[in-house]
Amino acid sequence: MSKTVTCLYQDQQKASEIVSRLEQAGISRGDISFYSTASDNLIDDLENDGVPRTDAHAYAEGVRRGGSLVAVECDEDEVDRVVGILDGEGILDLDEQQTAWRSEGWPGYDVSASGSTAGLGSATAAVASDLAGTSETSRARSARTDVTGRDEVIPIAEEQLHVGKREVGHGRVRIQSRVVERPVQEQVNLREERVHVERRPVDRPLSEGDAAFRERTIEAEERREEAVVSKEARVTEEVVVRKDVEQRTETVSDTVRKTEVDVDDERSVRGTGTAGSTDRKGRKG
């Protein structure tokens, strides 16, 4: 038997989170309807899914006022699981919302004109099913829930903190070498030879060592030193690039959520003479 579970949320973000939770739970996206903007066909769409017209008008008014509606089509045996997922933060109590809207002048839907049954609006979610052309609606969640004949389950959830690691850039060092030229000057002493020829008048007797009447040739070569430039490349400094790896311990602080349940047992216990009574030590009197 197919049923439709609907819930109205205060904003689109909360409703989107619920849709994601439904998909993560294995609910097919084709079975999930999400309404965040009012349209002329919204009421008809909800009625086609089995939602009574009085509730359909209320849901449409909630969407028009900025709320978001999530409707899930599921089998009857999946209703409790779907309701448990839909029951999250940001859910609106449809009955309270209609009361507040009527105080502001909202006329609501005239159930007397259509012959529909009054009071079918769910507090926060409506479950509808089609049975041989008739519409059956029951409350999926309210402030007080009748659990006669079935188990009502409140899931206790707790978040766990998982800390991972990733590498991120923290700046870089770039070393680039280039060749530049600069003018230099050095002083060097150079030697240069010069040949001088001069004639000087003399008046003395010819001696045997003069060899005046013999042919002779005298050559004198001038020489000089020139600067010779050579270059020698020498390493004067080294630039060493090295990466050191250090290990550090960082404390990551965050918050995790968990569900806590407070049980208020207001039942009065009446003892009988046959059952006896039990004192603090467990003895029966």
Side-chain angles (χ1 to χ4, degrees):
M1 183 184 300
S2 177
K3 290 193 175 184
T4 299
V5 184
T6 54
C7 274
L8 182 65
Y9 297 90
Q10 63 185 18
D11 54 41
Q12 184 175 352
Q13 179 182 356
K14 295 296 183 181
S16 299
E17 294 174 357
I18 294 298
V19 172
S20 299
R21 289 175 55 186
L22 290 168
E23 293 179 339
Q24 293 173 3
I27 306 299
S28 174
R29 188 63 180 88
D31 295 333
I32 304 173
S33 299
F34 178 67
Y35 305 94
S36 59
T37 56
S39 65
D40 296 336
N41 300 327
L42 177 55
I43 296 177
D44 294 335
D45 291 343
L46 293 175
E47 282 195 291
N48 292 335
D49 290 336
V51 178
R53 176 166 288 270
T54 179
D55 290 346
H57 275 264
Y59 285 132
E61 180 66 15
V63 173
R64 188 186 68 82
R65 291 173 177 262
S68 293
L69 178 66
V70 177
V72 183
E73 184 178 354
C74 60
D75 295 333
E76 186 175 6
D77 56 355
E78 293 183 340
V79 169
D80 289 340
R81 184 168 73 98
V82 173
V83 170
I85 298 174
L86 293 175
D87 186 11
E89 296 181 1
I91 198 169
L92 297 177
D93 189 308
L94 191 60
D95 291 341
E96 293 181 358
Q97 295 299 314
Q98 291 184 83
T99 302
W101 298 338
R102 286 191 175 93
S103 66
E104 298 172 359
W106 178 63
Y109 177 66
D110 188 1
V111 296
S112 61
S114 64
S116 299
T117 303
L120 294 181
S122 168
T124 56
V127 183
S129 63
D130 292 333
L131 298 174
T134 63
S135 178
E136 173 192 321
T137 303
S138 61
R139 295 180 180 268
R141 178 182 176 269
S142 62
R144 298 177 180 269
T145 305
D146 184 9
V147 297
T148 304
R150 63 185 179 90
D151 293 336
E152 191 72 14
V153 179
I154 298 178
I156 307 299
E158 182 175 354
E159 291 182 336
Q160 295 181 349
L161 185 64
H162 299 281
V163 180
K165 297 187 295 183
R166 65 173 179 176
E167 289 188 356
V168 296
H170 194 60
R172 66 177 60 189
V173 176
R174 179 183 291 108
I175 300 176
Q176 182 178 0
S177 64
R178 62 182 183 275
V179 178
V180 298
E181 294 184 354
R182 61 183 180 87
V184 295
Q185 292 181 346
E186 295 288 344
Q187 291 184 345
V188 59
N189 294 324
L190 302 176
R191 186 172 62 86
E192 185 175 355
E193 298 178 347
R194 293 186 179 276
V195 177
H196 298 279
V197 178
E198 63 177 307
R199 298 170 70 100
R200 55 188 180 186
V202 292
D203 184 11
R204 61 179 178 80
L206 183 64
S207 62
E208 293 181 359
D210 288 337
F213 299 105
R214 187 181 59 178
E215 294 182 354
R216 297 177 59 189
T217 300
I218 299 175
E219 293 182 355
E221 181 182 2
E222 292 183 347
R223 302 184 64 86
R224 63 173 182 169
E225 293 179 339
E226 293 181 347
V228 178
V229 178
S230 62
K231 298 180 182 179
E232 178 185 9
R234 299 184 63 84
V235 179
T236 60
E237 188 180 359
E238 291 180 338
V239 177
V240 180
V241 181
R242 179 188 302 109
K243 283 204 305 185
D244 295 330
V245 179
E246 297 180 354
Q247 296 287 342
R248 63 186 178 90
T249 301
E250 180 176 339
T251 302
V252 179
S253 300
D254 206 335
T255 59
V256 294
R257 299 174 299 174
K258 72 174 183 178
T259 304
E260 293 185 351
V261 177
D262 296 328
V263 178
D264 294 332
D265 192 345
E266 299 178 354
R267 297 173 298 175
S268 60
V269 180
R270 295 187 178 92
T272 62
T274 57
S277 60
T278 304
D279 61 15
R280 292 180 180 271
K281 296 183 179 180
R283 295 192 297 269
K284 288 187 176 181

